[in-house]
Amino acid sequence: MALLESVRSPEDLKRLDADQLTALAAEIRESLVSAVSRTGGHLGPNLGVVELTIAMHRVFDSPADPILFDTGHQAYVHKMLTGRQDFAALRQRGGLSGYPSRQESEHDFIENSHASTALSYADGLAKAFRVRGETDRTTVAVIGDGALTGGMAWEALNNIAGAKDLRLVIVVNDNGRSYSPTIGGLAHHLASLRMTQSYEQVLELVKSALSRTPLVGQPLYDALHGIKKGVKDAVQPQVMFEDLGLKYVGPIDGHDTAAMEHALRGARDFGGPVIVHAITRKGQGYAPAENDAEDCFHSLGAFAPETGVQRSKPGVPWTRVFGEEMVKLGAERDDIVAITAAMLHPTGLAPFAERFPGRCFDVGIAEQHAATSATGLAMGGLHPVVAVYATFLNRAFDQVLMDAALHRQPVTFVLDRAGITGSDGASHNGMWDMSVLQVVPGLRVAAPRDAARLRELLREAVAVDDAPTVVRFPKGNVAADLPAVGHIGGMDVLRRSSRAGGRHDVLLVGAGAMAGTCVEVAERMSAQGIGVTVLDPRWVKPLDPELAVEAARYRMVAVVEDNGRVGGVGDAVARLLREAEVEVPVRTYGVPQRFLEHAGREQILAEIGLTSQDIARELTERVAGGSPQLADVAEG
């Protein structure tokens, strides 16, 4: 790793010759495989951008020229070239973030890991430089073909095109692996390109990329082939990008450092917004990743570097339970359809798509469209199930509110990775959904505590025909089923305990996966002679009115949730009791209202006091104190 170790800044990179750059690229790939095999992470995307990233840092002067990575999971090489080569604790507490991080380096301007945002950041930055008279600075945005399926990217392009003197270079990293009609559209307009390669070389390169693109690839390749005379002439100004006002350069072999440097220098010196289209291969240089049919090792856990075989942990993931139940529902009801926003495998819908290919729709990275398209499907007599990570539903809030809920349409949103996800950092923790969804009229939210409840609550959700529903569950493996010992209304009683004389001390309400933690809390408190009943509401919106009746029998109520404290289930319980005029103090244990650093899930839960030991200790002290205050511990 001699060459890699010698590169501590982009300036060091600029002193290397062509042969050294080739050797450096090989060292970077070796280092990536070695590091990610131990910690897990986004391997395939980073293997695919090695030469591209090298070229950018040789042409541009970061951080004076900001380099913004859309989504950000492909920034590992960028980190290595900007002085961050210790990947031993990648995505772990105290180690490097799996995304750009402003705390780590001045070379990281944005920390986004939600897609389709970089062009808007870049538009604002470039305009700021222009207003400030800093005309020697160029803003660079790197966006993948998948992220270009997001509508926000096209809103940004529309505005960027209107600023003819904006010093902005847009690098489209096209690896042909995503559902990407936008990139297919770019290829369709190759007649406008001024290319240095021969036509046949370009055509073969694009054919190779498009052949891997589902649905749109082959038709667009056929269209391209049909206009080859225009491509040969290489002068067709009346095309989309030039009509829009954007200079287009490419396609460029993204693994040819010299070619990329040449294209980027030309784009830098143009003086206005330029698109540079680079064709890359996800997983480049590591055979197991290149040959992985599912996603070229997009994101994976620890694995054996010699073979690429993942070191799987025992247990059954929540996602698999959902996927299996969806297949059963699909077989029972032909009106059940599924929607994914470019995450067919991660959200568990792949088995459903294989079994019912005509009833599963991948809309690309477009959560807003997914929600409203699902509403249209429901209006057409179907029951759509939209599977999405909890953190990404934030992006479609308006569509959930004004499209699905306002029209009272039966759309079921299934939120994977709800609660604390840990290693991916602040943007991926699903700690907002039970707060933001509380304000949506008519919408119902279910939080299953185990696999059995996930199956039954999913079925209850798709049985609703007059309103949208939500089913949320966490990341990781599902715990053993936790059977109920009784029922109150539609709620499950998981543990009953009272002190001598029938006194009841604490009613402990556990939302979703935190119900198991509540049972552990009750066991600890019972050992201290405190009477605790544990209740799982199952549906956390709307809450069962019987909860208020039951709460009146206790000295205090405590709510435990893996959601933000403000506006979550705890607030809803307190409001229910106030409206029922039940004067019992309510205490909420949840996620503090701050962005959490990346670390393991258990580490974060311990840090924020959401372990059974922490909760039991505080509740015991409050009960022993005799008069707990009526307060939600929400911290704004």
Side-chain angles (χ1 to χ4, degrees):
M1 298 297 172
L3 270 175
L4 180 56
E5 291 173 357
S6 71
V7 177
R8 293 299 175 183
S9 73
E11 289 304 311
D12 296 327
L13 188 65
K14 294 173 183 179
R15 290 191 284 267
L16 303 182
D17 61 30
D19 290 339
Q20 289 175 310
L21 292 177
T22 300
L24 176 63
E27 288 186 15
I28 290 173
R29 287 194 168 91
E30 182 180 348
S31 180
L32 284 171
V33 172
S34 176
V36 179
S37 70
R38 295 191 298 269
T39 64
H42 291 92
L43 181 61
N46 287 284
L47 291 171
V49 297
V50 175
E51 292 85 2
L52 175 59
T53 308
I54 290 173
M56 287 191 298
H57 275 296
R58 280 171 58 84
V59 171
F60 300 101
D61 294 319
S62 176
D65 295 333
I67 299 178
L68 315 179
F69 290 88
D70 200 286
T71 311
H73 58 251
Q74 77 281 44
Y76 293 5
V77 183
H78 164 76
K79 289 175 184 269
M80 290 181 174
L81 300 178
T82 53
R84 292 166 284 174
Q85 296 178 9
D86 183 3
F87 275 59
L90 175 67
R91 308 197 317 152
Q92 299 172 14
R93 182 183 294 278
L96 291 177
S97 167
Y99 295 90
S101 169
R102 291 168 65 92
Q103 293 183 3
E104 286 181 7
S105 173
E106 63 179 348
H107 294 278
D108 294 0
F109 270 71
I110 56 176
E111 304 188 8
N112 64 314
S113 52
H114 284 192
S116 310
T117 60
L119 298 185
S120 295
Y121 283 119
D123 176 62
L125 263 173
K127 287 174 178 173
F129 296 154
R130 185 179 61 187
V131 170
R132 292 168 59 89
E134 299 174 6
T135 57
D136 58 338
R137 303 182 71 176
T138 301
T139 303
V140 184
V142 185
I143 184 167
D145 52 321
L148 271 177
T149 61
M152 186 175 175
W154 290 91
E155 293 175 21
L157 279 174
N158 181 55
N159 282 271
I160 290 168
K164 307 301 183 184
D165 60 345
L166 208 60
R167 294 185 60 86
L168 173 56
V169 175
I170 300 168
V171 179
V172 176
N173 173 33
D174 177 8
N175 58 35
R177 292 295 306 183
S178 299
Y179 178 84
S180 50
T182 48
I183 289 298
L186 303 188
H188 183 69
H189 292 281
L190 285 175
S192 69
L193 308 184
R194 293 169 172 84
M195 299 169 288
T196 57
Q197 303 103 318
S198 72
Y199 164 72
E200 295 300 333
Q201 288 176 320
V202 174
L203 193 61
E204 193 60 33
L205 185 63
V206 176
K207 179 181 179 181
S208 175
L210 290 179
S211 66
R212 300 190 301 270
T213 306
L215 300 181
V216 299
Q218 188 60 43
L220 287 174
Y221 168 71
D222 291 340
L224 166 64
H225 196 274
I227 57 171
K228 64 182 180 181
K229 182 180 184 299
V231 179
K232 282 183 176 178
D233 293 341
V235 181
Q236 292 286 336
Q238 301 304 314
V239 292
M240 181 176 68
F241 287 103
E242 292 198 3
D243 285 348
L244 190 59
L246 292 171
K247 178 67 176 176
Y248 187 108
V249 178
I252 311 297
D253 181 356
H255 301 299
D256 184 331
T257 306
M260 282 305 311
E261 285 188 41
H262 179 75
L264 291 171
R265 285 195 182 95
R268 179 196 61 191
D269 297 338
F270 179 68
V274 181
I275 289 179
V276 178
H277 182 188
I279 294 183
T280 62
R281 185 177 185 185
K282 200 170 184 178
Q284 173 77 10
Y286 181 52
E290 290 180 352
N291 298 326
D292 179 54
E294 181 175 314
D295 62 5
C296 292
F297 285 10
H298 177 82
S299 178
L300 71 171
F303 62 94
E306 301 81 9
T307 62
V309 176
Q310 294 195 56
R311 300 185 177 103
S312 59
K313 297 180 180 179
V316 178
W318 284 89
T319 306
R320 185 190 305 171
V321 176
F322 161 67
E324 292 171 351
E325 197 63 20
M326 274 295 292
V327 172
K328 293 178 183 177
L329 283 167
E332 296 168 15
R333 291 178 47 178
D334 60 10
D335 66 325
I336 295 286
V337 295
I339 296 179
T340 177
M343 304 193 78
L344 187 68
H345 291 276
T347 59
L349 285 179
F352 185 91
E354 182 177 354
R355 180 76 178 275
F356 311 105
R359 291 159 55 188
C360 188
F361 308 99
D362 187 340
V363 301
I365 303 177
E367 292 86 1
Q368 292 172 298
H369 170 69
T372 304
S373 177
T375 303
L377 286 164
M379 290 175 172
L382 302 176
H383 192 111
V385 176
V386 182
V388 64
Y389 285 6
T391 182
F392 296 143
L393 189 70
N394 303 344
R395 317 188 80 190
F397 172 75
D398 182 67
Q399 287 69 30
V400 172
L401 175 67
M402 290 299 177
D403 299 336
L406 176 63
H407 293 92
R408 299 179 178 84
Q409 292 303 306
V411 179
T412 296
F413 297 92
V414 173
L415 308 187
D416 201 330
R417 273 71 163 176
I420 300 299
T421 58
S423 58
D424 278 328
S427 64
H428 271 56
N429 289 317
M431 55 179 281
W432 322 106
D433 57 285
M434 288 198 293
S435 295
V436 300
L437 294 175
Q438 285 288 341
V439 304
V440 180
L443 179 138
R444 311 175 196 185
V445 181
R449 65 180 180 270
D450 55 27
R453 257 44 63 177
L454 172 53
R455 296 186 186 98
E456 68 183 29
L457 285 169
L458 178 61
R459 288 180 172 272
E460 291 179 24
V462 298
V464 174
D465 61 4
D466 61 351
T469 53
V470 172
V471 179
R472 54 133 34 209
F473 53 81
K475 180 182 180 180
N477 291 332
V478 63
D481 283 351
L482 188 58
V485 298
H487 304 281
I488 298 175
M491 302 174 290
D492 287 346
V493 179
L494 304 183
R495 195 180 192 283
R496 288 190 186 277
S497 180
S498 62
R499 297 175 64 179
R503 292 179 57 192
H504 297 76
D505 293 316
V506 180
L507 177 63
L508 197 51
V509 180
M514 301 309 292
T517 299
C518 289
V519 172
E520 295 174 4
V521 170
E523 291 171 351
R524 289 174 179 271
M525 295 180 68
S526 294
Q528 303 298 317
I530 299 173
V532 181
T533 294
V534 178
L535 198 62
D536 174 9
R538 298 174 70 255
W539 288 92
V540 296
K541 181 184 184 306
L543 291 167
D544 193 319
E546 289 296 315
L547 176 56
V549 177
E550 179 68 12
R553 304 171 59 209
Y554 294 81
R555 296 175 60 193
M556 70 176 299
V557 175
V559 181
V560 183
E561 58 186 299
D562 55 356
N563 185 79
R565 293 172 184 162
V566 175
V569 181
D571 280 358
V573 170
R575 184 171 61 255
L576 177 72
L577 268 56
R578 287 197 303 271
E579 292 175 352
E581 298 183 351
V582 174
E583 296 183 0
V584 176
V586 178
R587 182 81 172 169
T588 297
Y589 296 88
V591 181
Q593 298 302 130
R594 69 173 189 265
F595 294 108
L596 304 173
E597 295 295 322
H598 62 277
R601 172 180 163 84
E602 297 306 318
Q603 290 176 312
I604 293 177
L605 292 176
E607 176 190 334
I608 62 179
L610 276 185
T611 68
S612 59
Q613 182 177 5
D614 293 325
I615 297 170
R617 181 188 302 115
E618 183 177 327
L619 279 176
T620 298
E621 292 173 354
R622 287 180 173 275
V623 172
S627 57
Q629 298 298 310
L630 176 58
D632 187 312
V633 297
E635 299 172 0

